[in-house]
Amino acid sequence: MADYRKILVTGGAGFVGSNLALNWKRHTPNTEIIALDNLKRRGSELALPRLRAGGVTFHHGDVRSPEDLDAIGPVDLMIECSAEPSVHAGYGQSPAYLVNTNLTGLINCLDHLRRTGGDLVFLSSSRVYPIAALRALKLHQQQDRLTLTEDGQGWSAAGIAETFPLTGARSLYGATKLAAELLIEEYRAMYGLKAVINRCGVLAGPWQMGKVDQGFVVLWMARHLFGGPLSYSGFGGQGIQVRDILHVDDLFDLLRLQTTNWPAMDGATFNVGGGQAVSVSLRELTRHCAALTGRALDIGQDPETRPADIPWYVSDSRTITQATGWRPTRDVATILTDIHRWLVAERTQLEPILRA
Ligand SMILES: NC(=O)c1ccc[n+]([C@@H]2O[C@H](COP(=O)([O-])OP(=O)(O)OC[C@H]3O[C@@H](n4cnc5c(N)ncnc54)[C@H](O)[C@@H]3O)[C@@H](O)[C@H]2O)c1
């Protein structure tokens, strides 16, 4: 397939969106890439000079407003990366922004594509899987991490597969993502939209504005470098909970493959993540950060488990690997080294944001 002529990346000043937009422009310089963002996330404004230097057009706009999408006109491909991405959003506060952006905004994006044509890549989340079912998995502590040794429907030592049962509460954030997936399916059936859905585990890499409720890998490294409190929270405050992580550049490699293989990708939903080989517990993360920064922090313990906390999540990405041959190529050490290098190089502008 020929390369796309015009691509819109919503949330294009965010961590994932800006990295995808710039990578895409580097790979296909003749493609017009537009990054739309309302700059809600603190630190997203730092993407503007990067996007400009990389030849990506920035459009200050909001997915909640169909007029802002109209102003961009038809696109050949939309990569939907705009979101309130915190799984804790809405707890103890109004969920209005979360729902309006993640759901109404997604509907506006779908309807834009219905009217003007264009394919869709949607970034869904591992958080579509229910919290109680994930907490019920039988886990064992092995040194500094929890491990899963048994198999069940949709889960095994290889991780959580697409067949994991979906019954139960999953956080408001997760619910907006699952509802978005359902709406995408309706737009495919009703209007012939071409779309692929990626349920991503934790994504990490440079230009993620990590904070306590989202982006823990960057937050961990930033606190080691710049100072500030850190604590192991949830599940007794032991720091043994495990997540897999995926370098944002590995995600880009996958999207390039997916968008050149629509017959196999259209209508499919994939779990996408680093997998067991690229997973880390908080205690292990602490060791990596201490080694890279040369600074050992006194990490606190906060035993309270928040409503959306889960003890173990590893993506079983075997379905997408079988379909495309894609697999993650950046390991934990590479991801953390990249983040460390970036934090050191950009310290002046990053420290005020990441210390906050
Ligand atoms: N980072 C992860 O670990 C992860 C994991 C799974 C899925 N995802 C999904 O990937 C996508 C990108 O996440 P991210 O990590 O880059 O988050 P991010 O917060 O860095 O980027 C999201 C961007 O969307 C913008 N935005 C927010 N509301 C908007 C609105 N109403 N209109 C236009 N722009 C708006 C923000 O300003 C921000 O720049 C999201 O859909 C997220 O749910 C992320």
Side-chain angles (χ1 to χ4, degrees), residues 13 39-47 207 209 353:
L39 303 181
K40 169 81 163 39
R41 176 83 178 247
R42 184 148 187 241
S44 289
E45 66 281 2
L46 300 186
W207 299 103
M209 300 300 152
I353 293 167

Side-chain angles (χ1 to χ4, degrees), residues 11 13-17 36-41 44 61-64 81-83 85 97 101 123-125 173 177 200-203 208 214:
F15 158 56
V16 175
L36 175 134
D37 203 295
N38 70 353
L39 303 181
K40 169 81 163 39
R41 176 83 178 247
S44 289
D62 198 306
V63 292
R64 293 171 298 171
C81 300
S82 69
Y97 188 83
T101 289
L123 290 195
S124 188
S125 165
Y173 166 76
K177 289 291 182 183
C200 301
V202 171
L203 301 167
Q208 183 171 39
Q214 205 260 344

Side-chain angles (χ1 to χ4, degrees), residues 50-329:
R50 291 169 55 228
L51 293 170
R52 199 178 314 118
V56 173
T57 307
F58 176 69
H59 187 102
H60 190 207
D62 198 306
V63 292
R64 293 171 298 171
S65 153
E67 294 81 3
D68 287 357
L69 293 162
D70 283 347
I72 289 165
V75 296
D76 303 309
L77 172 69
M78 183 188 292
I79 307 174
E80 224 289 75
C81 300
S82 69
E84 165 48 69
S86 169
V87 73
H88 305 291
Y91 288 109
Q93 67 202 126
S94 165
Y97 188 83
L98 170 79
V99 173
N100 290 339
T101 289
N102 293 18
L103 212 42
T104 313
L106 180 270
I107 295 170
N108 291 336
C109 290
L110 289 174
D111 217 56
H112 186 73
L113 295 174
R114 176 187 66 79
R115 283 181 282 114
T116 64
D119 308 331
L120 175 71
V121 174
F122 181 64
L123 290 195
S124 188
S125 165
S126 58
R127 290 311 200 132
V128 299
Y129 298 112
I131 293 165
L134 289 171
R135 285 188 184 175
L137 295 174
K138 286 205 180 59
L139 300 165
H140 305 280
Q141 183 171 353
Q142 243 176 15
Q143 293 170 333
D144 282 344
R145 62 158 57 207
L146 291 168
T147 56
L148 179 64
T149 44
E150 296 170 21
D151 290 5
Q153 190 198 328
W155 51 274
S156 70
I160 305 295
E162 294 85 352
T163 48
F164 195 83
L166 283 169
T167 306
R170 54 188 47 78
S171 78
L172 286 160
Y173 166 76
T176 63
K177 289 291 182 183
L178 189 59
E181 291 186 7
L182 294 175
L183 286 161
I184 290 167
E185 189 55 27
E186 296 307 323
Y187 268 72
R188 285 188 62 256
M190 187 83 77
Y191 306 117
L193 173 77
K194 262 194 287 172
V196 62
I197 293 168
N198 293 314
R199 291 178 178 163
C200 301
V202 171
L203 301 167
W207 299 103
Q208 183 171 39
M209 300 300 152
K211 48 190 182 122
V212 172
D213 63 346
Q214 205 260 344
F216 76 92
V217 179
V218 164
L219 176 81
W220 225 255
M221 187 70 80
R223 290 281 151 91
H224 276 80
L225 260 179
F226 306 152
L230 266 189
S231 56
Y232 298 131
S233 67
F235 306 103
Q238 299 296 303
I240 54 175
Q241 57 264 57
V242 170
R243 303 299 304 268
D244 65 337
I245 53 180
L246 182 72
H247 197 295
V248 67
D249 290 347
D250 274 322
L251 178 68
F252 169 73
D253 294 341
L254 173 63
L255 265 49
R256 289 281 296 161
L257 280 176
Q258 288 181 318
T259 52
T260 51
N261 189 11
W262 279 110
M265 293 297 114
D266 182 25
T269 299
F270 298 105
N271 283 0
V272 170
Q276 185 64 32
V278 196
S279 68
V280 73
S281 73
L282 285 176
R283 277 199 216 164
E284 291 165 354
L285 183 59
T286 299
R287 271 205 305 277
H288 281 287
C289 291
L292 277 163
T293 60
R295 181 173 185 183
L297 281 191
D298 197 11
I299 314 260
Q301 282 190 317
D302 175 5
E304 193 200 328
T305 303
R306 295 169 296 180
D309 285 340
I310 48 173
W312 186 91
Y313 188 92
V314 169
S315 310
D316 180 349
S317 308
R318 285 179 293 181
T319 313
I320 187 65
T321 298
Q322 273 156 20
T324 61
W326 173 89
R327 60 180 75 242
T329 60

